[in-house]
Amino acid sequence: MIEKLYNTGDLSDAELKSLITSEDDGVSEKLALYADKVRNQHYGKKVFLRGLIEISSYCKNDCLYCGIRRGNKNAQRCRMSAEQILEAADIGYKLGFRTFVMQGGEDAYYTDDLMCDIIVEIKNRYPDCAVTLSLGERTYKSYKKLRDAGADRYLLRHESADCQLYKKLHPAEMTLDNRVKCLYNLRELGYQVGAGFMVGAPFQTVENIIADLRFLQELRPQMIGIGPFIPHHGTPFANEKGGTAELTLRLLGIIRLMFPKVLLPATTALATISENGRIKGLQTGCNVIMPNISPKDMRDKYELYNNKLSSGSEAAEGLENLKKEVESAGYFISDERGDAAV
Ligand code: 5AD
C-alpha cells in the first residue's frame, strides 16, 4: 500500500484508513523511508527556517482547545507594538532568517492600516525576505490590503474539514464555511497558503482525518501544518487526552507522499510532546522548522497548550544548537526564503 501511495500519490478511503490505523511499527518505518526519499527528490536535505513572531495573545475567539481563547480568564494577555515587531525582525534577519511569520490571536488592535505599515516597513528593510501572516479570519478586503502591502503568505489551519467536528471544537459563531471561504479568498489573492489541523483533537475520528486529507487535496495549499493536540489547563479540554507523536508522524509521512512538493513543518507541538520530535519529523518528510523569535516575555504569554516549548532549539538564541541537531541527522539549514517547489 505504501508503494501504491508513493507511485500514485493517492489511496482510497479504505486504504488510507488501514494505513493510518495499522499498529505494525514496520509501517511507520517504511513510510518514513519513502517520505524522506520524496522530500529529497524535491528539496534535498534542505530545511527552511521561519522566524515566528507571536505578536498578540489577545483573541476575540473562544476555540475550545486553545490556551489564548477569550474565555480563559487566567491567560496573560500581551501584544507587541510595531516597533517591537520590527526589532524582532531585525534580530531575526541578523541571525539569518529570511521569512518572518507574524502570528497572533484575532486581535482588533492590528487594524489593516497598522499591519500594512508593518509589512511595508519589513519589506523595505529586507526585500529578500518573505512575509507570512497568521492572524486568523479577516475579510476579503482586509486580506487584499495586506497582500497589496506586500504579504506573501498566509497560514490559516482549517482545523477540521468535518462540519460536525468543527462545531465541537469551536464556539457557535465560528463556521467551517467561513474558514474555507477565507482559505479560498487567500488563494485567489495570490498568497502562498498554509492550511492544516491538529492530530488527536477531542472527538476526532479516522474518518475525520481522511476528510482533512481530502479537503487538502482540493485546496492544494503550499504548506500543510499538522501537530498533535495538547490539552491546555485553562480550557474546556483541559482533561482530554492529547494526540500522539506516533500518529502525527504517520500522518506526516502520508501527507508527504500525497503532496510531494508541499512545505511541511516539523511543528513545535510535535517537539513539545516528543523528545526527538523535530528530527523524527525531518526523517518523515518534513522540511520546515519555525523557531520563535519573539521577545522572551511575549513567548511566555503566548501559551496555546501546556508546556509549549519556547526556548532551546525552538528559539532564536538556540539557532546554533538547532543547526547542530539538524546537521547531525544529515540535514542542513538553508539560507533561502524557502518558497514551495513548483
Ligand atoms: N494543542 C495543539 N495545537 C493547538 N493549536 C491551538 N491550540 C492548540 C492545542 N491545545 C494550534 C491550532 C492553531 C495553531 C496556531 O495552533 O491548530 O491553528
Side-chain angles (χ1 to χ4, degrees), residues 99-120:
T99 293
F100 301 113
V101 183
M102 289 179 266
Q103 180 174 85
E106 292 193 17
D107 179 355
Y109 175 85
Y110 297 94
T111 58
D112 294 341
D113 285 346
L114 176 57
M115 279 318 300
C116 286
D117 285 349
I118 297 170
I119 295 163
V120 166

Side-chain angles (χ1 to χ4, degrees), residues 277-293:
R278 213 177 294 103
I279 297 301
K280 284 189 202 148
L282 297 182
Q283 291 167 335
T284 314
C286 291
N287 65 334
V288 175
I289 297 179
M290 304 172 66
N292 201 315
I293 62 168

Side-chain angles (χ1 to χ4, degrees), residues 305-331:
Y305 43 81
N306 291 343
N307 307 316
K308 180 169 174 285
L309 291 188
S310 62
S311 60
S313 301
E314 280 303 319
E317 64 274 12
L319 201 56
E320 280 310 310
N321 273 340
L322 180 66
K323 268 193 182 138
K324 280 189 206 133
E325 201 180 316
V326 165
E327 281 169 16
S328 66
Y331 303 91

Side-chain angles (χ1 to χ4, degrees), residues 65-67 103 134 157 159 179 197-198 227-232 269 302 304-305:
Y65 46 84
C66 186
Q103 180 174 85
S134 182
R157 287 190 179 173
E159 311 294 358
R179 199 82 179 167
F197 59 95
M198 291 179 295
F229 161 69
I230 304 173
H232 184 282
Y302 195 79
L304 301 179
Y305 43 81

